Every structure is written in C-alpha cells, then in structure tokens.
C-alpha cells in the first residue's frame, strides 16, 4: 500500500489547524459565525458545480456512465436532510447551498 509521505502529512496537519482557527473565529461572535456560514455556503455551491463540466459531455453523448450513481444518490440524500435542517432552523446558508444541490 502507498505511504502518505511528508507532504500529505503536512497538508493534513494544516487542514486541521485551519479548521481549529475557523472554529475559534466562529465561536467568538455571532457575526463571525455568520461569516463562516456564508463562506461554507459558497464553497458548497462551488463543489456542487464542479461536476457540471462533465454534464455537457453526458448530454452530448447521451450516456450517463461518467456520473457515478452512488455519489449522485448520496448527494441527493445529504442535501435533502440538510435542507430539512435549514427549513427547521431558518438558516439561509443551509437553505441556499443545499437547495441548489438538491
């Protein structure tokens, strides 16, 4: 099996450090939590849009083999559940990004 190596270990450590910084920032004030929520919303929308580059080819070829069915199903279920959370909590960031992914 392939080993991680130093670059992967440093990137993972950096990701955890960034996560800790964002959590501390968001807990400092309600306005900070809102800012982090909007940032997360934009990142989520960007991730949902990433397979759209394949969608053109799928439509042209009329073949959906390039779209993994398990990933599509899990995204659908995930967005549906988060959409329910967004409706119940009236959280705009959750509603917008998961409504688009749904």
């Amino acid at each position: 099996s392939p080993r991680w190596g130093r670059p992967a270990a440093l990137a993972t450590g950096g990701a955890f450090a960034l996560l800790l910084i964002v959590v501390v920032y968001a807990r400092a004030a309600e306005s900070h939590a809102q800012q982090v929520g909007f940032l997360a919303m934009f990142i989520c929308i960007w991730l949902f849009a990433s397979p759209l580059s394949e969608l053109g080819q799928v439509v042209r070829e009329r073949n959906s083999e390039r779209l993994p069915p398990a990933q599509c199903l899990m995204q659908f279920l995930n967005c549906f559940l988060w959409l329910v959370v967004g409706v119940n909590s009236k959280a705009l960031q959750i509603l917008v990004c998961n409504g688009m992914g749904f």
Side-chain angles (χ1 to χ4, degrees):
S1 73
R3 295 184 55 177
W4 259 32
R6 183 180 173 100
L10 289 173
T12 302
F16 278 114
L18 181 61
L19 175 65
L20 181 63
I21 291 167
V22 170
V23 167
V24 169
Y25 178 77
R27 291 182 57 95
E30 179 67 27
S31 63
H32 293 178
Q34 288 292 324
Q35 292 168 354
V36 170
F38 280 111
L39 176 62
M41 179 181 70
F42 289 121
I43 292 171
C44 183
I45 292 169
W46 186 23
L47 289 172
F48 286 154
S50 62
L52 293 178
S53 61
E54 297 290 328
L55 195 57
Q57 189 168 359
V58 166
V59 171
R60 273 193 308 278
E61 295 176 357
R62 298 176 192 237
N63 184 353
S64 63
E65 287 181 12
R66 299 181 70 90
L67 299 175
Q71 180 183 358
C72 293
L73 176 64
M74 294 308 294
Q75 179 175 334
F76 175 80
L77 293 174
N78 182 50
C79 288
F80 173 74
L81 294 174
W82 275 110
L83 199 56
V84 170
V85 171
V87 167
N88 287 330
S89 65
K90 297 180 178 94
L92 179 65
Q93 298 93 335
I94 296 173
L95 288 169
V96 169
C97 66
N98 289 290
M100 292 178 75
F102 186 69

